[in-house]
Amino acid sequence: RLHLVTWNVGTASPPPDVTSLLQLNSLGPTMDMYVIGLQEVNSRITNFLSDLAFDDPWSIFFMAVLSPLGYIKLSSVRMQGLLLLVFVKHVHLPFIRDIHTHYTRTGLYGYWGNKGGVTVRMSLYGHTVCFMNCHLPAHMENTEQRLDDFEKILEMQFEGENIPSTLDHDVLFWFGDLNFRIADYGIHFVRESINNKRYNLLWEKDQLNMAKKKEAFLQDFIEGPLQFKPTYKFDLYSDVYDTSEKKRKPAWTDRILWRVKNLCQNASKGGEFSEEQTISVTLNNYISHMSYGISDHKPVTGTFGLELKPLLLDPLVTLNPEGEWSAEHDVLINYSAVSEFPSSAWDWIGLFKVSFRHVNDYVTYAWVEDDEISSTKDSKQVYMSAAEIPDMGGEFLLGYYSNNLQSIVGVSQPFQIQPNRTLTDKDLTQDENSWMQKPDNLESRDEF
């Protein structure tokens, strides 16, 4: 289950609550992955430069919301005001590999990143999946420029060997403030159609719908029905369309589309959905969220079911704590790797709180080579000092980080660490405060 968000936040700060946006109060199964694409994140030069050194407020905000629920930030990419975040449940981490990011500038002849696209791609259970968050040129008359810019973004290439081009991924999600408008009709007809919920009268003049009928490179993209009000342009903190002097005509600028490669191949052969199909995408919900008013755009979400025939069944590394762990004594970690695993001297095993936010949010770690104490054909043991374990104890998990693959390739089940009983309650409280502050002061592991 994938929940995808696109939102032009108009340089605003995060709102107090995003429960409905992320469907956290849904009665159905929880999401496996959140993909959040934002446009016009505060991109003044001073903000942008400071955000390069530290996570921006929106990333911190979503991590604070999602990490207590068992999601970690898998990847992110930022270009000026464009931000793309991917969060995933712990259980899927060993089956997500080959994560790469890219950005393409199209604003001001490609020299400025106020328009363009940011992209994250990965192998998900052996299937290639790509997410593309775009902010295309504004204004009614710039349809051709929007299409040209999107073609340019599609042509980008990821760095690395054997990584498919954008359109060669098994599934490609395209979303963002695409800025397509409603052509021909006057503002009064558009608003009257919206007031009467006769959205279908406007679909045929939607510039993106018209372009999909003419442009070959768009025809394989699928979109759910636009059964919600156009999401642009609103007065701030209201559901009233633009009352300024400009009185912008409402438009569905904020969109989510997707493309399944093998469906395209089957269609080109005139075939139907076959038993050989190994991945399918189902749209469960495509809606706007009118209650959010921090910008002149309303956010749009798509909830998808991805049905995958797993091409990866086993993690590269299996690991677990040896015996009962306590903060009072040194501990051991058992792990084993598949024969083809490309291990490195720079691999490490991290001890994480179950609510960890991202890969560098570890409490402590052990080098798999330097801290190894025994090795057999089938398994190895690594030592971790009691001095590195939080005295307060709690619920933790272990994660094996592969330097060659630049990702966590093995995760243990959550387990309890017993607190250090020799310390006073005051000592435990001080220990808790010190390690809870640690992630913000961690030295970057990028050098590794």
Side-chain angles (χ1 to χ4, degrees):
R1 285 171 59 83
L2 161 69
H3 190 70
L4 200 153
V5 178
T6 179
W7 192 3
N8 183 322
V9 297
T11 73
S13 298
D17 184 79
V18 286
T19 299
S20 62
L21 182 71
L22 301 180
Q23 296 191 358
L24 299 178
N25 50 7
S26 171
L27 297 178
T30 58
M31 303 299 166
D32 295 285
M33 181 180 289
Y34 283 95
V35 177
I36 300 167
L38 305 179
Q39 307 86 41
E40 292 195 26
V41 173
N42 194 338
S43 58
R44 290 195 295 267
I45 289 294
T46 52
N47 294 86
F48 181 59
L49 292 179
S50 66
D51 289 348
L52 288 177
F54 309 99
D55 272 320
D56 64 277
W58 281 93
S59 297
I60 294 169
F61 171 75
F62 280 113
M63 281 191 288
V65 171
L66 291 171
S67 63
L69 304 177
Y71 299 91
I72 79 153
K73 188 181 78 171
L74 178 75
S75 184
S76 66
V77 55
R78 170 92 187 266
M79 180 186 74
Q80 233 70 17
L82 275 167
L83 176 64
L84 179 55
L85 303 165
V86 179
F87 293 88
V88 66
K89 281 279 193 182
H90 306 152
V91 66
H92 301 299
L93 284 175
F95 305 98
I96 301 176
R97 303 174 190 171
D98 301 323
I99 304 162
H100 290 79
T101 63
H102 195 279
Y103 62 84
T104 306
R105 298 186 182 98
T106 59
L108 288 181
Y109 307 101
Y111 290 105
W112 188 244
N114 61 324
K115 294 290 190 295
V118 288
T119 309
V120 173
R121 64 86 54 196
M122 65 193 69
S123 167
L124 177 64
Y125 287 90
H127 300 273
T128 55
V129 182
C130 186
F131 300 98
M132 182 176 289
N133 172 27
C134 296
H135 193 184
L136 302 181
H139 307 305
M140 180 71 69
E141 66 276 10
N142 285 333
T143 303
E144 292 304 318
Q145 185 63 53
R146 286 188 273 277
L147 296 173
D148 288 347
D149 283 7
F150 181 51
E151 273 199 289
K152 178 181 178 183
I153 295 167
L154 282 176
E155 291 169 358
M156 61 75 120
Q157 295 287 330
F158 293 98
E159 293 184 7
E161 296 181 6
N162 302 319
I163 300 178
S165 64
T166 310
L167 291 175
D168 277 332
H169 282 74
D170 295 327
V171 182
L172 169 61
F173 289 92
W174 171 39
F175 50 94
D177 179 0
L178 308 185
N179 256 320
F180 290 102
R181 308 304 170 99
I182 298 171
D184 299 340
Y185 295 141
I187 187 170
H188 297 295
F189 178 81
V190 171
R191 290 193 174 187
E192 190 65 21
S193 300
I194 295 168
N195 291 338
N196 293 323
K197 296 186 177 180
R198 301 185 67 183
Y199 308 132
N200 59 305
L201 298 179
L202 308 176
W203 293 343
E204 65 179 16
K205 294 298 182 181
D206 172 79
Q207 291 176 335
L208 180 52
N209 284 341
M210 292 192 290
K212 283 180 66 182
K213 295 176 181 177
K214 297 190 300 182
E215 302 290 344
F217 74 96
L218 292 180
Q219 289 173 4
D220 292 330
F221 283 94
I222 307 166
E223 183 180 18
L226 297 168
Q227 301 284 13
F228 50 86
K229 295 171 67 171
T231 52
Y232 171 86
K233 170 180 168 76
F234 288 90
D235 292 345
L236 295 184
Y237 301 102
S238 81
D239 56 3
V240 176
Y241 284 108
D242 188 15
T243 60
S244 70
E245 291 182 4
K246 292 183 178 179
K247 284 190 169 55
R248 297 285 190 197
K249 189 163 58 170
W252 285 291
T253 55
D254 310 280
R255 312 286 279 270
I256 300 172
L257 299 92
W258 71 99
R259 180 183 186 274
V260 182
K261 179 186 173 186
N262 44 15
L263 279 184
C264 304
Q265 292 173 336
N266 288 344
S268 66
K269 297 174 183 176
E272 297 294 327
F273 188 88
S274 68
E275 292 183 2
E276 296 178 1
Q277 192 88 24
T278 58
I279 183 167
S280 66
V281 179
T282 303
L283 176 66
N284 298 326
N285 207 354
Y286 188 34
I287 59 174
S288 65
H289 296 261
M290 294 295 293
S291 62
Y292 294 93
I294 60 173
S295 79
D296 54 1
H297 290 251
K298 300 298 182 184
V300 171
T301 61
T303 305
F304 296 87
L306 270 63
E307 190 171 345
L308 309 169
K309 180 180 180 180
L311 304 177
L312 296 174
L313 294 173
D314 300 307
L316 292 172
V317 174
T318 303
L319 71 167
N320 58 273
E322 170 72 21
E324 183 179 278
W325 277 32
S326 167
E328 297 177 9
H329 55 73
D330 299 341
V331 293
L332 298 177
I333 302 163
N334 293 321
Y335 79 91
S336 60
V338 298
S339 58
E340 67 270 21
F341 174 60
S343 62
S344 161
W346 297 105
D347 290 356
W348 50 275
I349 296 173
L351 177 67
F352 297 90
K353 287 291 284 184
V354 290
S355 59
F356 72 112
R357 300 173 299 176
H358 50 77
V359 68
N360 286 336
D361 195 9
Y362 49 78
V363 176
T364 186
Y365 64 90
W367 296 108
V368 296
E369 288 200 5
D370 290 354
D371 297 315
E372 181 181 300
I373 62 167
S374 71
S375 176
T376 68
K377 177 183 176 183
D378 297 322
S379 67
K380 297 182 179 182
Q381 281 193 331
V382 172
Y383 155 93
M384 190 172 280
S385 168
E388 301 294 328
I389 298 174
D391 285 318
M392 57 177 288
E395 191 175 21
F396 294 81
L397 54 79
L398 297 165
Y400 186 110
Y401 183 85
S402 164
N403 184 68
N404 286 329
L405 299 178
Q406 294 287 294
S407 62
I408 291 178
V409 295
V411 178
S412 75
Q413 292 293 319
F415 63 94
Q416 287 291 136
I417 297 180
Q418 299 303 315
N420 189 336
R421 292 167 296 182
T422 63
L423 298 182
T424 66
D425 290 343
K426 181 180 178 181
D427 292 330
L428 289 175
T429 302
Q430 290 174 339
D431 181 69
E432 178 179 6
N433 291 337
S434 66
W435 82 257
M436 285 183 68
Q437 294 169 0
K438 186 176 181 181
D440 294 327
N441 299 316
L442 288 175
E443 294 186 14
S444 170
R445 297 188 60 82
D446 291 345
E447 69 221 56
F448 300 144

